[in-house]
């Protein structure tokens, strides 16, 4: 599964991090076994959240997935079954990979996972800054 976004460790377990409209820092997961009675499934969607304080999180990172296709670096936007949705803002990269042009400076398309060498850019973040 494609890992993308903000992540941190809470009580020894990795969770996705988000900030709600009231600037509450929340951890979230769709894995019930990672939760306890303090987590809520507010919308009965199978996504469990809990408001936490920044000092309760450690090893927080921002994860951005990228891919290499035929020697060209592209953004990985999402995955579906055996494909990744990839994008680039570079004319030569979009042309070389035969990606559909969707805007003046944007090329976007779906490619087989087998064509992509996936890697992640991981940047440490301070949860106090969120």
């Amino acid at each position: 599964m494609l890992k993308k976004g903000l992540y941190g460790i809470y009580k020894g377990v990795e969770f996705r991090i988000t900030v709600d409209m009231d600037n509450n820092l929340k951890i979230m997961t769709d894995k019930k076994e990672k939760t306890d009675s303090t987590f809520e499934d507010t919308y009965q969607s199978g996504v469990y959240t809990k408001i936490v304080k920044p000092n309760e999180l450690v090893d927080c990172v921002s994860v951005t997935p990228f891919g290499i296709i035929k020697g060209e670096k592209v953004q990985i936007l999402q995955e579906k079954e055996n494909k990744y949705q990839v994008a680039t803002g570079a004319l030569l990269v979009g042309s070389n990979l035969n990606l559909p042009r969707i805007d003046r400076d944007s090329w976007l398309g779906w490619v087989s996972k087998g064509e992509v060498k996936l890697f992640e850019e991981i940047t440490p973040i301070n949860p106090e800054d969120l």
Side-chain angles (χ1 to χ4, degrees):
M1 184 166 177
L2 189 62
K3 189 172 180 181
K4 181 179 182 179
L6 305 177
Y7 293 84
I9 307 294
Y10 173 77
K11 294 187 178 181
V13 180
E14 183 178 64
F15 290 94
R16 180 115 193 249
I17 301 171
T18 187
V19 178
D20 70 13
M21 291 180 5
D22 296 323
N23 279 337
N24 293 311
L25 188 63
K26 288 185 171 185
I27 55 175
M28 59 192 287
T29 184
D30 59 1
K31 294 179 175 49
K32 176 98 171 130
E33 64 273 10
K34 290 173 69 172
T35 68
D36 59 25
S37 63
T38 61
F39 283 75
E40 294 181 334
D41 182 1
T42 306
Y43 304 105
Q44 288 71 49
S45 63
V47 176
Y48 303 89
T49 61
K50 176 179 180 163
I51 296 174
V52 295
K53 295 181 176 142
N55 64 358
E56 295 178 283
L57 296 171
V58 296
D59 299 329
C60 297
V61 295
S62 173
V63 179
T64 305
F66 289 96
I68 301 289
I69 306 170
K70 298 178 185 173
E72 304 285 4
K73 183 178 176 181
V74 294
Q75 296 174 310
I76 304 290
L77 301 180
Q78 59 183 325
E79 72 178 317
K80 177 171 56 173
E81 298 168 3
N82 292 323
K83 294 185 176 188
Y84 289 121
Q85 185 181 43
V86 300
T88 184
L91 169 64
L92 292 177
V93 174
S95 296
N96 289 344
L97 299 177
N98 294 318
L99 295 174
R101 189 175 194 169
I102 60 163
D103 198 341
R104 186 178 81 102
D105 294 323
S106 300
W107 289 261
L108 178 73
W110 289 91
V111 297
S112 169
K113 286 183 177 181
E115 296 179 47
V116 182
K117 180 178 178 187
L118 187 65
F119 68 98
E120 298 172 334
E121 182 179 281
I122 298 173
T123 308
I125 60 168
N126 182 348
E128 298 279 351
D129 295 337
L130 299 175

